Amino acid sequence: MTRNLWIRLVLFAAGAMALATPTIADTPSFTLRYGVLAGLTGDPAPSGQGWNEAARLGIDSIAQTLKSMGLNSIQVVLADSQDSQGNPQAGVEAAQKLVQIDHVNVIIGDFYSSVTTAVATAVTIPNQVLIFTGGTSPALTKLNNDPVPMVWQPVAADDLQGRVLAEVIGDALGTNAKINVGARNDAYGSNLSAVFKDAWTKGGGTIPKFIIYNQTQPTLDSEAQQLVEGNPDGWLFIDFCNTFEKLALPLTRTGKWDAAKSFGSDTLNDCAGRGSKNYPGMRATQANASSGSSFPAFKALFQKSAKPGVNFQAFLAESFDSTFVAFLAALEAGSADAPKLAAHVRLVTNDPGTNYDFTQLDQAIKAILAGQKVHFIGATGPINFGENGRISAASYDIWQHMPDGSAKVVKTIKFTP
């Protein structure tokens, strides 16, 4: 090989490497501002504090990775965390603060469907701010009118969960069983109970008592009496742990209620873990939020770095994952502008693209800066957002309250709509 040919080859290789490896100058410049909205005080606090911590840990992980890579032109910031109190009016006021004063691009929360509906309608959609919600109401993504969704639902919606509950209860008690239903009077309880009622009765089952109750009442004694009438074969309850306890106590006093023949919505999977009480034998379904290969790493990070006293719960992975989805979408868009990054959410959560999870964030960043496609796999598993801003979950965990007061997953099923 002549000396001139060798030099030309070296220069060619160096040029190819320069094209393949982005430099700092190639990177966009933006600041992505997050806000968290959740019930941080009162009854929602056990879950809301965890939701906030999961988001914080995700944002901190992104910031640390950017710093270690020397990508100082890109910043991610948790501008503020606001307390919705699990209340739509308080949620709207909190969201207005995040949008109008903190100027956030993305809100992570709320996991109350009623709060998310009010916030999206009054605040985030009119102001073109993205919201990733933990709410499960099927109506949430129907709020999206623009070609690009501004409301994203990284959790299986209730129109799927209601049918899963019908299948699980049918397998346990028979498809012709008589099931009394008690549900809280809000978007979550009303929507999920309606879906279950339709699926259950179409399958041949009956519902002697269908009670929608006001969960804010000081007592639920009369509702408990109604729910043990009609000689049911079992029960379905749709509620949150703190208010379900108000119903479970008078149910127990009737002497006619059997927790072992009772089923609950996803929010009743482990009430002891949320500061309330479990009822031995009771079962609940929950979309599997831990199927991602990086879930153990997320759990370890949370248990090591979350604020002391905040309990780990599997569904918190939805909050954690959402921070990475928003960031990767912004990076691919080259902008923190919400409508622009919204157009890339589906692109970074679906094929084609090389799979990356949060533990490989630096590799995913390099790939995007090099113009390559990525497919983010969450701690929850594949996210695969659809055009309407929703995911579809095929795996569901069946939880059971145990005699020692704990709760655990006793079975995982695959559900094909």
Side-chain angles (χ1 to χ4, degrees):
M1 180 182 297
T2 66
R3 181 174 181 276
N4 287 341
L5 178 59
W6 181 82
I7 292 173
R8 287 198 299 270
L9 288 172
V10 170
L11 291 174
F12 176 80
M17 289 179 64
L19 289 173
T21 305
T23 65
I24 301 300
D26 296 323
T27 64
S29 177
F30 63 82
T31 298
L32 180 61
R33 296 179 64 83
Y34 295 86
V36 174
L37 182 67
L40 302 177
T41 59
D43 291 335
S47 294
Q49 290 287 348
W51 185 266
N52 182 54
E53 282 298 286
R56 181 185 67 79
L57 291 172
I59 296 164
D60 284 352
S61 294
I62 298 166
Q64 291 168 11
T65 301
L66 289 169
K67 182 178 180 179
S68 69
M69 296 176 70
L71 299 177
N72 299 322
S73 65
I74 305 172
Q75 301 289 319
V76 294
V77 178
L78 175 55
D80 196 12
S81 299
Q82 283 286 304
D83 183 10
S84 73
Q85 304 171 37
N87 177 278
Q89 182 178 348
V92 167
E93 293 173 359
Q96 287 173 335
K97 193 269 180 183
L98 291 172
V99 172
Q100 303 296 341
I101 297 177
D102 297 312
H103 303 294
V104 301
N105 311 104
V106 176
I107 291 177
I108 310 296
D110 193 284
F111 52 78
Y112 283 92
S113 296
S114 56
V115 175
T116 301
T117 299
V119 166
T121 303
V123 184
T124 59
I125 292 177
N127 289 281
Q128 295 287 278
V129 171
L130 259 69
I131 185 167
F132 288 83
T133 174
T136 56
S137 170
L140 290 175
T141 50
K142 294 178 182 178
L143 298 171
N144 289 317
N145 295 317
D146 294 332
V148 178
M150 298 300 286
V151 178
W152 298 88
Q153 198 170 26
V155 55
D158 293 333
D159 51 1
L160 198 60
Q161 185 188 173
R163 292 148 68 190
V164 172
L165 281 164
E167 180 178 295
V168 169
I169 295 174
D171 288 344
L173 302 179
T175 56
N176 296 321
K178 295 184 293 183
I179 302 298
N180 281 357
V181 176
R184 60 189 285 129
N185 187 18
D186 62 6
Y188 174 64
S190 299
N191 287 325
L192 181 49
S193 61
V195 173
F196 171 80
K197 181 179 181 180
D198 180 66
W200 185 248
T201 54
K202 281 183 177 178
T206 57
I207 302 176
K209 293 292 180 179
F210 188 84
I211 308 297
I212 304 294
Y213 54 83
N214 181 1
Q215 67 276 5
T216 63
Q217 292 175 193
T219 62
L220 294 169
D221 292 69
S222 61
E223 289 79 3
Q225 288 290 340
Q226 294 177 70
L227 283 164
V228 295
E229 294 174 358
N231 193 30
D233 299 305
W235 291 264
L236 171 64
F237 299 103
I238 301 167
D239 204 343
F240 292 95
C241 292
N242 59 295
T243 43
F244 175 68
E245 195 163 342
K246 285 197 293 186
L247 180 64
L249 292 175
L251 278 171
T252 302
R253 288 196 295 267
T254 67
K256 299 177 181 179
W257 177 53
D258 187 349
K261 295 180 180 178
S262 298
F263 295 80
S265 54
D266 55 346
T267 48
L268 298 176
N269 68 321
D270 181 12
C271 289
R274 297 184 173 101
S276 295
K277 180 181 177 181
N278 286 331
Y279 294 86
M282 187 171 175
R283 283 161 281 184
T285 60
Q286 185 179 51
N288 185 297
S290 58
S291 63
S293 60
S294 64
F295 183 83
F298 162 60
K299 183 177 181 179
L301 174 65
F302 190 97
Q303 292 176 330
K304 176 184 177 182
S305 303
K307 185 168 65 176
V310 178
N311 292 330
F312 177 80
Q313 300 172 65
F315 87 97
L316 301 179
E318 297 155 11
S319 172
F320 184 74
D321 286 348
S322 295
T323 65
F324 291 91
V325 172
F327 166 69
L328 292 172
L331 184 64
E332 189 174 90
S335 172
D337 182 63
K340 292 179 180 178
L341 76 87
H344 289 262
V345 169
R346 291 192 66 233
L347 297 176
V348 299
T349 56
N350 285 276
D351 288 329
T354 302
N355 290 347
Y356 298 99
D357 60 39
F358 87 92
T359 68
Q360 304 161 317
L361 181 61
D362 57 338
Q363 299 173 47
I365 291 172
K366 291 176 183 178
I368 289 176
L369 293 179
Q372 300 167 9
K373 292 294 183 183
V374 305
H375 180 185
F376 178 71
I377 306 296
T380 57
I383 297 171
N384 300 333
F385 276 117
E387 292 181 357
N388 62 353
R390 287 172 54 176
I391 65 166
S392 57
S395 295
Y396 279 80
D397 293 331
I398 300 176
W399 287 72
Q400 187 162 27
H401 297 187
M402 308 308 291
D404 65 358
S406 65
K408 67 178 182 180
V409 176
V410 294
K411 187 178 181 181
T412 299
I413 64 170
K414 294 284 186 180
F415 180 75
T416 303

